[in-house]
Amino acid sequence: MPGSKTDRAPVITLDGPGGSGKGTVSLILARRLGWHFLDSGALYRAVALAARRRGMKLDDEEALGRLALALPVQFKYSEINGSPSILLEKDDVTLVLRGEACGADASQVAALPAVREGLLERQRAFRTAPGLVADGRDMGTVVFPDADLKIFLTATPEERARRRYKQLKDKGMDVSLVSLLEEIESRDARDSNREVAPLKPAEDAITVDTTGMAIDRVVETIMALWAEASPGR
Ligand code: DC
């Protein structure tokens, strides 16, 4: 049947707050399944960074919407582990995009409807055979409402702050645990309370609380859910 689930590449969506493990888990899942991977947060971060570099105001919705639509961003996937490098106007911005300043700016521009609209089709274009693992906040609610499996990953704010701390320290960045926790809590509030595409589980999403769970166990849990959701695939 045209337009039905069966004639489209399958999608698994992983939504949830920052530090819930989505990024790492999505990448491992994509590798295990041999599927494509969409890091939608990186797109919002890239809009924010491009806007800063162009000296734009982060509340100029019309201009930011136009920027999102024509964003000169490219993902390059490593042959070795599938991990993406992100190029903005041919400049490798992978590291700077992960910084806390860029995350805070991204959360601000992500609240603007024109920015979300401007990134919509670009995100949907990632859905190609053999399948897609999509990581974000509104993957299951807005971008891929007909996804084959929707996961909502959570963890306590304290656990998420500890994970982010370790991640950033490992990358050689200088951060404080207390300020990370504050940042996580204020970003959660902003992402959950915004009017467009707020962070919330889709009605048909399965919530997995990853507090105290090792990454491998989270991956196995989701692989088992996928096996259940797609018998015979
Ligand atoms: O997942 P992340 O930390 O890279 O996301 C950066 C910001 O972008 C985050 O504050 C929320 C926003 N975001 C969003 O609104 N919708 C998405 N699908 C992904 C990210």
Side-chain angles (χ1 to χ4, degrees):
M1 193 203 303
S4 74
K5 266 187 187 181
T6 49
D7 70 347
R8 291 164 167 236
V11 184
I12 298 177
T13 57
L14 271 87
D15 290 305
S20 57
K22 285 175 306 146
T24 313
V25 170
S26 303
L27 197 55
I28 299 174
L29 280 174
R31 213 181 306 152
R32 285 266 296 260
L33 293 161
W35 289 6
H36 303 285
F37 167 57
L38 166 63
D39 173 4
S40 61
L43 289 174
Y44 289 94
R45 287 170 183 264
V47 170
L49 181 64
R52 284 279 185 209
R53 288 187 169 177
R54 291 168 191 211
M56 293 164 67
K57 291 216 181 89
L58 294 191
D59 59 358
D60 185 346
E61 180 169 359
E62 209 189 310
L64 289 167
R66 264 183 276 130
L67 174 64
L69 202 55
L71 192 69
V73 73
Q74 261 181 300
F75 289 80
K76 289 221 155 153
Y77 294 89
S78 151
E79 302 266 317
I80 301 161
N81 60 10
S83 161
S85 298
I86 301 154
L87 305 182
L88 186 62
E89 277 166 322
K90 306 222 162 64
D91 179 16
D92 189 330
V93 292
T94 316
L95 253 191
V96 56
L97 284 190
R98 299 284 9 131
E100 289 308 297
C102 202
D105 284 353
S107 166
Q108 223 176 305
V109 302
L112 303 172
V115 170
R116 307 201 70 85
E117 186 61 37
L119 291 178
L120 198 55
E121 285 314 312
R122 190 190 290 261
Q123 295 176 84
R124 289 186 175 149
F126 277 77
R127 183 181 198 168
T128 53
L132 175 69
V133 178
D135 159 6
R137 303 289 191 288
D138 62 341
M139 298 295 98
T141 49
V142 176
V143 182
F144 303 109
D146 64 338
D148 302 77
L149 176 65
K150 299 180 185 180
I151 303 291
F152 194 81
L153 282 192
T154 57
T156 60
E158 291 74 17
E159 168 117 356
R160 290 188 281 127
R162 275 194 299 273
R163 289 178 186 167
R164 201 70 144 195
Y165 180 80
K166 187 171 178 315
Q167 230 175 32
L168 296 172
K169 277 280 179 194
D170 287 350
K171 287 186 178 158
M173 294 185 192
D174 189 21
V175 280
S176 107
L177 189 56
V178 177
S179 65
L180 277 178
L181 181 57
E182 278 169 13
E183 177 56 34
I184 277 181
E185 285 176 332
S186 72
R187 199 176 314 166
D188 279 359
R190 199 160 46 215
D191 292 343
S192 307
N193 298 326
R194 69 180 175 220
E195 277 177 25
V196 277
L199 170 65
K200 61 161 197 219
E203 270 176 24
D204 48 350
I206 299 169
T207 295
V208 179
D209 185 343
T210 69
T211 308
M213 247 173 125
I215 290 289
D216 288 359
R217 248 186 74 216
V218 181
V219 170
E220 291 317 323
T221 303
I222 299 173
M223 286 298 286
L225 289 169
W226 173 241
E228 248 173 63
S230 62
R233 259 212 246 218

